Amino acid sequence: MHNADFTRNVAKALNDAPQRAHLEHVITNFMRGRRGLFNDDEELAALREAANAVKRRVVGRLAEVLERLEASCAANGIQVHWAETGEEASNIVLDITRSVGGKTLVKSKSMVTEEIHLNKTLEANGCEIRETDLGEFIIQLIGQTPFHIIAPALHVTKEQVGAIFAEKIGIDYTEDPDRLQAEARRFLRERFRRADVGVTGVNFAVAETGTICVVENEGNARMCASVPRVHVAVTGLEKIVDRLADLPLMLRMLVGSATGQRISTYFNMVGGPRRPGDQDGPEQVHLVLLDNGRSRMAGDEELRQSLQCLRCGACLNHCPVFKRIGGHAYAATYPGPVGTMVMPQLKGLDEYGYMALASSLCGACGEVCPVMVPIPSIIRRLRVEAHDAHGAVLDHGHDAARMESLAWSLWAKVMTSPGLNAMARKTMAALGGALPAVGPLGAWTSVRVRPKFSSKGLADLLREEDAKEKGSK
Ligand code: SF4
């Protein structure tokens, strides 16, 4: 997508007053929940340091930890598959489904399967895949992509859900959340019973023990992992922790940052296929490890910090841009600050360079990130790279962009020349002392406090301060 398309999406989202009010309400609740849980700043700082250390240890020696994970999984009877691209990963899931003579699948919420467009591949090859997370189920019915990484149908109101269910699954219209949930459950139970394969994402894969961990609140991931004959877990190759002992901290940071809960309703730990004597569980468990640009990221000391991400969504909730425009305006699998940081790295600046501009760089995302990913500085770097290597991606020949470029080079000249600086200062002071609200500056200053110019330079002010101090002695 081009920057101009993004600008159009943003304008559309900003003009959608009901959506903005709904977003404000829901996201403020997420923020309140997180703040209520992590209300001791000192303790939170210590927890973030510890969580950062856990993930840093892993992404710094990714190849070694992955090898250990593969060996531990194999010892547990979990079949590990490596996929370099999204297409390869989707085809692996398709092949596994075909190998058991199946074509019906159920899936729990997983952003990585969105990244690889798994549903599209499976459906194009005659399979039926049903989303079973309530939010994902709703957006699948209306053919949309997730709006938020942890709340995919956050933008859909209960009245809209009532209308969607009435039209798509043939129930009488209701906007009672309990009845809507019961209807979704009734509809999905039948799909679980018939499914050949259950697909889940992975929140943590433990290298030490070969355990696949999935965090959820609805119990549908547990059903996906235990009811069908085959369980396939798909994950980006960064979702690993070294030791089982790392889990309590990481779970606390993930769940608390995401929803403000002390612990999620379900925490699933899959240690292999059904064993003799087990009452339930799949006959086969597969783990698909997806690269899709991640090893390239791991090779760069600064960018590899993006791989520490837990996909908790806290940076989205605290981002003033996301809070106003919502997820769909970005036209990317991962929206918000995390998307701005990872999409250009996963898919390249050619395609996603425009996202490097989708940030005010206020720093809120970096401050709330539970694993201390320096999101703003990574976005800044990508913005510079996008501009240097792909200026056209950002500009598209727009006059506004050229004007901005001209304005910044003029500003640089004035700020590096004492003579010009003094002249500009005096002129601005004579014109009333504030940035004039004319031309493109009109739009900029209409939503900002107009900066005031001093008739004196910093050196003059410091000299005056010095003189004052000497005079008072
Ligand atoms: S970058 Fe940090 S805050 Fe954002 S989703 Fe990832 S872990 Fe959460």
Side-chain angles (χ1 to χ4, degrees):
M1 189 169 81
H2 285 171
N3 192 32
D5 301 320
F6 177 56
T7 308
R8 253 195 306 279
N9 287 356
V10 169
K12 191 168 160 229
L14 290 178
N15 284 322
D16 188 342
Q19 177 175 290
R20 285 189 60 177
H22 181 65
L23 255 179
E24 175 74 31
H25 172 71
V26 182
I27 287 188
T28 304
N29 278 342
F30 277 145
M31 292 167 76
R32 237 183 247 138
R34 174 188 171 275
R35 196 61 208 154
L37 186 72
F38 295 123
N39 53 16
D40 179 332
D41 287 343
E42 252 176 60
E43 186 191 22
L44 175 59
L47 288 169
R48 292 176 74 220
E49 289 280 357
N52 169 275
V54 168
K55 287 304 286 188
R56 215 160 4 107
R57 221 174 33 233
V58 169
V59 298
R61 31 187 271 283
L62 203 50
E64 179 195 329
V65 187
L66 280 164
E67 270 175 34
R68 192 171 178 218
L69 173 71
E70 184 179 27
S72 310
C73 284
N76 288 346
I78 298 175
Q79 301 175 48
V80 177
H81 309 258
W82 299 87
E84 207 175 317
T85 62
E87 196 185 339
E88 264 181 54
S90 291
N91 285 332
I92 289 170
V93 181
L94 178 64
D95 290 346
I96 295 169
T97 308
R98 283 177 171 162
S99 72
V100 293
K103 60 178 184 175
T104 58
L105 300 95
V106 281
K107 179 161 88 65
S108 65
K109 201 182 89 51
S110 140
M111 285 309 295
V112 79
T113 55
E114 297 287 338
E115 178 187 326
I116 63 176
H117 307 295
L118 177 65
N119 293 11
K120 231 186 220 172
T121 304
L122 292 167
E123 283 163 358
N125 286 281
C127 296
E128 183 200 320
I129 180 156
R130 176 57 64 188
E131 297 288 349
T132 61
D133 168 271
L134 182 59
E136 289 279 356
F137 176 57
I138 293 165
I139 59 169
Q140 188 184 31
L141 289 177
I142 50 176
Q144 290 190 359
T145 53
F147 189 84
H148 185 294
I149 64 172
I150 63 151
L154 178 146
H155 60 305
V156 189
T157 61
K158 61 182 191 310
E159 292 79 14
Q160 289 166 333
V161 176
I164 293 166
F165 280 13
E167 186 197 332
K168 306 282 184 183
I169 62 172
I171 63 160
D172 290 338
Y173 175 83
T174 173
E175 50 194 58
D176 172 18
D178 289 341
R179 275 196 56 209
L180 289 168
Q181 278 183 38
E183 290 294 351
R185 186 179 295 122
R186 182 188 55 76
F187 183 91
L188 290 170
R189 278 290 152 103
E190 184 49 35
R191 269 63 189 178
F192 280 119
R193 239 190 305 274
R194 283 200 282 117
D196 305 298
V197 175
V199 180
T200 68
V202 175
N203 292 99
F204 308 105
V206 186
E208 178 188 24
T209 54
T211 313
I212 297 167
C213 305
V214 187
V215 176
E216 54 152 343
N217 280 319
E218 298 176 17
N220 63 305
R222 180 165 297 187
M223 300 272 283
C224 287
S226 58
V227 178
R229 284 180 291 154
V230 180
H231 171 206
V232 184
V234 185
T235 181
L237 42 78
E238 77 281 17
K239 291 284 199 77
I240 314 176
V241 292
D242 247 336
R243 308 164 308 165
L244 201 61
D246 295 328
L247 279 181
L249 168 70
M250 301 315 285
L251 178 64
R252 182 174 176 191
M253 295 311 277
L254 170 63
V255 179
S257 306
T259 55
Q261 292 167 281
R262 276 189 191 284
I263 189 164
S264 54
T265 314
Y266 297 88
F267 182 55
N268 307 294
M269 298 175 76
V270 178
R274 178 198 292 231
R275 293 181 174 89
D278 283 355
Q279 290 191 348
D280 57 18
E283 292 155 19
Q284 295 177 22
V285 177
H286 299 260
L287 176 64
V288 181
L289 290 165
L290 172 74
D291 188 322
N292 215 20
R294 287 164 173 81
S295 34
R296 196 177 51 240
M297 288 155 77
D300 183 299
E301 213 171 309
E302 185 180 17
L303 298 180
R304 84 161 61 115
Q305 296 174 90
S306 321
L307 297 174
Q308 290 166 201
C309 173
L310 307 178
R311 305 283 190 261
C312 72
C315 56
L316 277 67
N317 301 339
H318 291 76
C319 173
V321 177
F322 181 88
K323 214 170 161 181
R324 281 163 185 79
I325 67 173
H328 287 160
Y330 294 85
T333 304
Y334 301 101
V338 60
T340 304
M341 173 177 73
V342 301
M343 288 307 297
Q345 296 188 63
L346 294 175
K347 300 278 180 178
L349 288 165
D350 264 345
E351 210 181 328
Y352 285 95
Y354 70 91
M355 280 190 83
L357 295 178
S359 169
S360 66
L361 294 178
C362 67
C365 50
E367 280 171 26
V368 295
C369 177
V371 280
M372 299 176 70
V373 176
I375 312 169
S377 60
I378 294 177
I379 295 176
R380 222 171 6 246
R381 167 162 162 194
L382 293 169
R383 192 178 282 190
V384 171
E385 284 179 8
H387 189 271
D388 289 352
H390 301 274
V393 171
L394 303 181
D395 297 347
H396 291 286
H398 276 278
D399 290 346
R402 273 197 288 271
M403 288 286 290
E404 190 181 335
S405 209
L406 186 69
W408 284 116
S409 37
L410 271 175
W411 180 84
K413 276 207 173 59
V414 171
M415 296 313 275
T416 50
S417 153
L420 276 176
N421 192 302
M423 200 163 78
R425 225 176 331 103
K426 282 181 189 143
T427 314
M428 293 308 294
L431 286 173
L435 201 65
V438 291
L441 288 178
W444 197 80
T445 52
S446 68
V447 288
R448 290 173 176 85
V449 175
R450 291 164 65 191
K452 288 226 159 48
F453 291 87
S454 164
S455 58
K456 294 171 185 166
L458 185 61
D460 302 329
L461 291 170
L462 288 173
R463 259 194 300 275
E464 279 180 17
E465 280 291 309
D466 267 0
K468 243 190 253 168
E469 251 179 52
K470 277 180 197 150
S472 67
K473 276 182 191 162

